[in-house]
Amino acid sequence: MKKRILTFVLAMLPALALAAGGGNIHLDKANIDLDNKESLQRGAKLFVNYCMACHSASYMRYGRIAKDLELSEDAVLENLVFADAKIGDTMDIAMRPGDAEKWLGKVPPDLSLIARSRGVDWLYTYMLTFYQDESGGWNNLVLPNASMPHVMWQLQGIQKPLYATDESGHEAVDRLVLHRPGLQTPEEYEGTVRDLVTFLQYLGEPAQLQRKNVGIWVLLFLAFFTMIAYLLKIEYWRDVH
């Protein structure tokens, strides 16, 4: 019974992600490539630099990243670990939940499974649609009134909203325009976000990297076995005819 419930929940994740993202928001295609090890490596560095100040990835160990992303343990410890963590430790942050709630108003979620619950297109669009509203604070088209600030604003720059009035007379954000350029061009920033989302997708199911490679060999074996079986069939039926 528990297995059936778990299967149902996993099957419903895409629908839940769509509902969480809002059905009226157009989601841009992330077009990630999990076979691109360089993209995964860049995404890992972005994650520890921009996300791990507040968010953990407690289901992932640094040693697993070194193995899957084809990095040496020394390189991981030097570039991805900024505390006294060891290579076998999980990617946890030092901030305690009580302090997080006191300083930030709520405990930031663990991001280990965020790509599985939200979807890569949702995450990609979310990181592209931060803007500064009239109050000077940060807002987001995909997740209005998000409590998270735009941690990568220096790379993207500051976007401002342009409003339009719909048929019912309600004013809503029509589009975003770049008010103050950042350190990267829009195209470069899109690539940066794609790298980050690629790493988040990997975090949700690290085994998928090996599973796809194994799947290729399984298909090749089945094709070879099918050919052998066909040749045997011809040989056996030759005497019958």
Side-chain angles (χ1 to χ4, degrees), residues 38-237:
E38 292 182 354
S39 177
L40 283 167
Q41 293 168 4
R42 292 191 299 267
K45 191 171 184 178
L46 289 165
F47 181 81
V48 299
N49 278 283
Y50 290 97
C51 303
M52 279 195 70
C54 300
H55 299 277
S56 293
S58 58
Y59 295 166
M60 175 57 65
R61 296 183 184 276
Y62 292 105
R64 180 65 186 267
I65 290 178
K67 178 181 178 181
D68 290 344
L69 274 57
E70 299 177 358
L71 296 169
S72 68
E73 293 186 355
D74 290 338
V76 169
L77 290 173
E78 181 179 352
N79 296 287
L80 302 182
V81 179
F82 302 122
D84 57 352
K86 299 178 176 60
I87 193 67
D89 290 345
T90 55
M91 300 180 72
D92 292 308
I93 59 175
M95 183 167 52
R96 295 174 296 184
D99 293 334
E101 190 168 1
K102 178 181 178 181
W103 298 333
L104 305 175
K106 60 185 298 186
V107 179
D110 187 288
L111 297 184
S112 300
L113 301 176
I114 190 66
R116 297 191 67 178
S117 63
R118 290 291 193 179
V120 292
D121 292 342
W122 190 97
L123 292 171
Y124 180 73
T125 309
Y126 173 71
M127 293 304 300
L128 292 177
T129 55
F130 275 97
Y131 66 93
Q132 204 171 62
D133 56 25
E134 294 85 350
S135 67
W138 292 110
N139 210 328
N140 191 279
L141 286 185
V142 177
L143 188 63
N145 301 316
S147 58
M148 172 181 158
H150 188 10
V151 294
M152 299 171 70
W153 72 269
Q154 289 181 315
L155 299 180
Q156 184 186 26
I158 298 176
Q159 297 187 118
K160 293 281 189 176
L162 292 181
Y163 295 90
T165 304
D166 57 23
E167 297 178 355
S168 59
H170 294 291
E171 190 177 58
V173 177
D174 179 57
R175 58 192 175 92
L176 301 178
V177 295
L178 190 60
H179 176 71
R180 183 188 302 173
L183 298 176
Q184 296 182 336
T185 65
E187 292 76 17
E188 289 172 338
Y189 180 71
E190 289 173 6
T192 295
V193 173
R194 184 173 294 107
D195 291 337
L196 176 60
V197 172
T198 301
F199 180 73
L200 290 174
Q201 174 70 2
Y202 155 76
L203 278 183
E205 190 184 356
Q208 61 190 302
L209 300 181
Q210 288 77 25
R211 187 185 70 238
K212 290 181 179 179
N213 291 331
V214 171
I216 293 174
W217 287 106
V218 170
L219 291 175
L220 290 174
F221 169 78
L222 290 175
F224 176 76
F225 178 79
T226 300
M227 181 182 68
I228 297 298
Y230 178 72
L231 293 175
L232 287 173
K233 172 183 175 296
I234 293 176
E235 185 65 26
Y236 285 143
W237 281 91

